[in-house]
Amino acid sequence: SINYVFAEDIKITTNINKNEYFIADKILVEYHIDKSDDYKIILPQLPTFLGTCELVNVKYDSLLSSLFLEVISFETGRITLPPITFVFEEKGTDRIFTRTSEPLFFQVNEIEIDTSASLKEISDEFLQETKFNLIIVVILTLVLLFLSIYKFYISYKIKE
C-alpha cells in the first residue's frame, strides 16, 4: 500500500511490504520523505501506540531519507495506522510548516491454534521431545567418555 502527500517540494510515501499479517507480527512501515535540500526535517515525537498498534522501534535513515517504524498489532481485523505529521524547517528562514502522511490500512489475522488439544497432550509431547534429546546427550557423553578412557589406556600401554 503506497500513499502520497504532495506539498510544495515535499512528497511523503508510506509503504509496507504486504497488506496481511498475523496477530503479534512485527510490521515494518517506511515513511520515505522526498524533499529538496532547502528543507530540514524535524522528526516527530511518536506515542507508544499508533491507533491499535504498539510502536516497537523507530529508526531514521538520513541517507535514504526514510523514517522506519516497527509496530505490532495485538488486535485482529482491518487495522488503520493513523497519519503522522512531519515538521519541516526551510533553511535560511524562520519558516516552519507541516506535512501529514496518509493513513495506512492492513489486515491482521488470528493465528490458528488447535484448541481441541488438552494442555496435558501438549505438555506430554514436549516432555517426549525433551526425553529424546536428553537420551541423545547421555549417549554422546558416554561415547566421548569411553573414547577418552580408551585413548588414555592406549597411551599408557604404549609407554610400557
Side-chain angles (χ1 to χ4, degrees), residues 1-3 13-18 28-32 104:
S1 175
I2 298 176
N3 302 303
T13 307
T14 308
N15 192 15
I16 57 174
N17 57 351
K18 58 184 181 176
L28 184 64
V29 183
E30 178 186 9
Y31 294 88
H32 177 72
L104 192 60

Side-chain angles (χ1 to χ4, degrees), residues 6-59:
F6 295 97
E8 295 184 24
D9 298 339
I10 298 173
K11 179 174 64 171
I12 298 174
T13 307
T14 308
N15 192 15
I16 57 174
N17 57 351
K18 58 184 181 176
N19 289 326
E20 285 197 34
Y21 297 89
F22 287 108
I23 194 166
D25 276 352
K26 288 186 178 177
I27 302 163
L28 184 64
V29 183
E30 178 186 9
Y31 294 88
H32 177 72
I33 300 138
D34 187 14
K35 63 176 185 56
S36 73
D37 291 337
D38 296 335
Y39 302 103
K40 174 185 169 191
I41 184 171
I42 301 169
L43 294 175
Q45 296 295 316
L46 299 170
T48 305
F49 283 89
L50 298 170
T52 59
C53 294
E54 182 176 349
L55 183 61
V56 178
N57 194 12
V58 178
K59 178 185 172 192

Side-chain angles (χ1 to χ4, degrees), residues 87-99:
V87 177
F88 297 90
E89 177 182 9
E90 190 171 10
K91 293 179 182 175
T93 70
D94 291 337
R95 187 172 172 215
I96 293 179
F97 53 96
T98 62
R99 297 294 176 257

Side-chain angles (χ1 to χ4, degrees), residues 44-146:
Q45 296 295 316
L46 299 170
T48 305
F49 283 89
L50 298 170
T52 59
C53 294
E54 182 176 349
L55 183 61
V56 178
N57 194 12
V58 178
K59 178 185 172 192
Y60 180 70
D61 188 325
S62 59
L63 291 176
L64 296 175
S65 191
S66 289
L67 178 68
F68 294 96
L69 304 183
E70 194 174 53
V71 298
I72 295 177
S73 177
F74 294 104
E75 294 192 21
T76 58
R78 185 170 166 84
I79 304 297
T80 302
L81 205 58
I84 294 181
T85 300
F86 293 86
V87 177
F88 297 90
E89 177 182 9
E90 190 171 10
K91 293 179 182 175
T93 70
D94 291 337
R95 187 172 172 215
I96 293 179
F97 53 96
T98 62
R99 297 294 176 257
T100 302
S101 69
E102 293 291 324
L104 192 60
F105 305 97
F106 52 92
Q107 181 70 29
V108 175
N109 300 312
E110 292 181 6
I111 298 175
E112 292 185 25
I113 298 173
D114 184 7
T115 56
S116 63
S118 70
L119 186 58
K120 183 175 179 347
E121 290 172 349
I122 295 169
S123 63
D124 285 346
E125 286 179 29
F126 174 74
L127 288 175
Q128 287 175 356
E129 289 177 20
T130 305
K131 285 179 186 176
F132 178 73
N133 291 338
L134 183 61
I135 290 170
I136 289 175
V137 169
V138 168
I139 290 171
L140 288 174
T141 304
L142 289 175
V143 167
L144 287 173
L145 183 63
F146 174 76

